[in-house]
Amino acid sequence: MRIILSTGALPRLEDPGDFKRFAVALETRLTADLKAAVAPVADLDVDGAHIWVRPDAIRALSPLAGQAEWEAGFSEMMRFAAKHGWIDDQGRIRAHIETFEGQPAVDADVFRRAMRRFASGVCLVAAGEDEERRGLTVSAFSSVSADPPMVLVCINRSTSAHRKLTGSSYFSVNILGAGQQEIAMLFAGQRGLQGAARFDETWNSHRLGAPVLASALYSIVCASEANHVAGSHTIMIGRVVDATTNRHDGGPALINYDGAMGHSIRAA
Ligand SMILES: Cc1cc2nc3c(=O)[nH]c(=O)nc-3n(C[C@H](O)[C@H](O)[C@H](O)COP(=O)(O)O)c2cc1C
């Protein structure tokens, strides 16, 4: 198994079922600050010659942890390492460091241009009650699983609603219809209103506490299942517990495409 550490990504465990080799692979540009680079999984020797990996960190990274076969293999690897003096008095495992050249980063403008060509819907993601209500406009929304029903939204950590959304037990995803550009701009922070001031009487409070927009094509209410940090954003995964609509006409959707909102499609 190898722990892979690269810039801007969470640590990853490669080949978790291979107990014959053990190493930490580090992207070359991270070697400038070795101590900080390995900190999520390991500690550096005082002389900087070796790193000592915490077994808890390996367990947390292994999708196979807890399975009898994997646990047996891992214990055997630990025994083998102990016999060779590669386990210290705190139970940490000594690891080789390998380095690899990371992929050159894609040009940010090219990436942005590519993403603009992906047509998406537009929704308002909201949480909280009364003066604690917070919400923002989101296009990074996707269905994850049908059984159980799950969705995800990607929320920039620099947005004012991030803390409330990621700290709430329930949140809503309100899918906007064609013609709702104005409320989309309001919740994108483009109309000068912040916090609870963005919500008016067209919002109701769902019995689970999340605000739902009466004029949305659909309001999907989710129980917060997990938050994963990824780059500048938090991926919020929600288990869908309710979906309501007042728009049984199934009107056309608001679409975000090529930097503009308003292209719409009519539901079949
Ligand atoms: C069409 C559109 C789609 C957006 N999609 C997202 C998104 O998926 N995730 C996100 O974090 N921000 C997204 N934003 C930006 C946020 O709505 C905006 O940054 C946020 O409201 C910031 O303002 P605030 O910090 O004042 O709330 C989108 C904005 C627009 C206009």
Side-chain angles (χ1 to χ4, degrees):
M1 64 179 76
R2 286 203 313 170
I3 298 175
I4 314 289
L5 299 171
S6 39
T7 34
L10 293 172
R12 187 167 64 78
L13 188 64
E14 189 182 74
D15 296 332
D18 177 1
F19 299 104
K20 294 267 176 301
R21 62 184 195 135
F22 181 66
V24 171
L26 202 66
E27 193 179 330
T28 316
R29 71 181 94 164
L30 288 175
T31 54
D33 188 353
L34 197 55
K35 189 168 190 277
V38 302
V41 295
D43 305 299
L44 190 62
D45 253 359
V46 262
D47 59 6
H50 292 113
I51 64 163
W52 296 88
V53 179
R54 297 182 294 276
D56 286 357
I58 300 172
R59 267 216 175 75
L61 293 177
S62 173
L64 306 174
Q67 293 181 12
E69 196 185 333
W70 188 85
E71 293 293 340
F74 188 56
S75 299
E76 183 52 37
M77 187 180 96
M78 293 291 283
R79 266 196 300 279
F80 180 81
K83 214 166 66 190
H84 287 79
W86 301 333
I87 303 283
D88 74 357
D89 53 3
Q90 294 177 48
R92 298 174 302 187
I93 318 158
R94 202 172 95 178
H96 289 295
I97 299 181
E98 299 169 358
T99 56
F100 64 94
E101 289 301 326
Q103 297 294 329
V106 66
D107 182 296
D109 285 337
V110 172
F111 174 62
R112 230 171 271 128
R113 274 203 296 279
M115 294 313 295
R116 281 163 65 105
R117 301 316 299 263
F118 183 66
S120 68
V122 182
C123 55
L124 306 182
V125 179
E129 291 183 90
D130 304 320
E131 284 312 299
E132 294 295 305
R133 287 178 293 182
R134 298 291 180 272
L136 82 166
T137 302
V138 163
S139 56
F141 162 60
S142 174
S143 165
V144 172
S145 152
D147 185 17
M150 294 170 92
V151 296
L152 68 77
V153 289
C154 300
I155 307 295
N156 195 318
R157 284 199 301 286
S158 70
T159 58
S160 59
H162 179 268
R163 182 195 291 255
K164 187 72 197 171
L165 291 175
T166 53
S168 295
S169 302
Y170 295 94
F171 63 91
S172 67
V173 179
N174 303 274
I175 300 171
L176 296 182
Q180 291 191 293
Q181 288 93 327
E182 193 46 40
I183 196 166
M185 294 312 279
L186 170 69
F187 275 81
Q190 304 297 307
R191 298 293 181 262
L193 290 180
Q194 287 294 329
R198 288 182 186 166
F199 294 81
D200 63 12
E201 70 291 343
T202 64
W203 288 84
N204 298 318
S205 184
H206 188 270
R207 62 185 161 77
L208 293 170
V212 287
L213 180 68
S215 58
L217 287 184
Y218 253 99
S219 294
I220 295 172
V221 179
C222 304
S224 177
E225 181 89 9
N227 291 329
H228 296 290
V229 170
S232 55
H233 283 52
T234 298
I235 304 169
M236 291 175 58
I237 298 183
R239 196 163 24 83
V240 179
V241 291
D242 200 8
T244 63
T245 182
N246 300 316
R247 302 270 304 263
H248 296 284
D249 58 338
L254 181 61
I255 301 294
N256 180 45
Y257 178 67
D258 213 9
M261 278 185 289
H263 304 260
S264 66
I265 53 166
R266 186 165 291 282

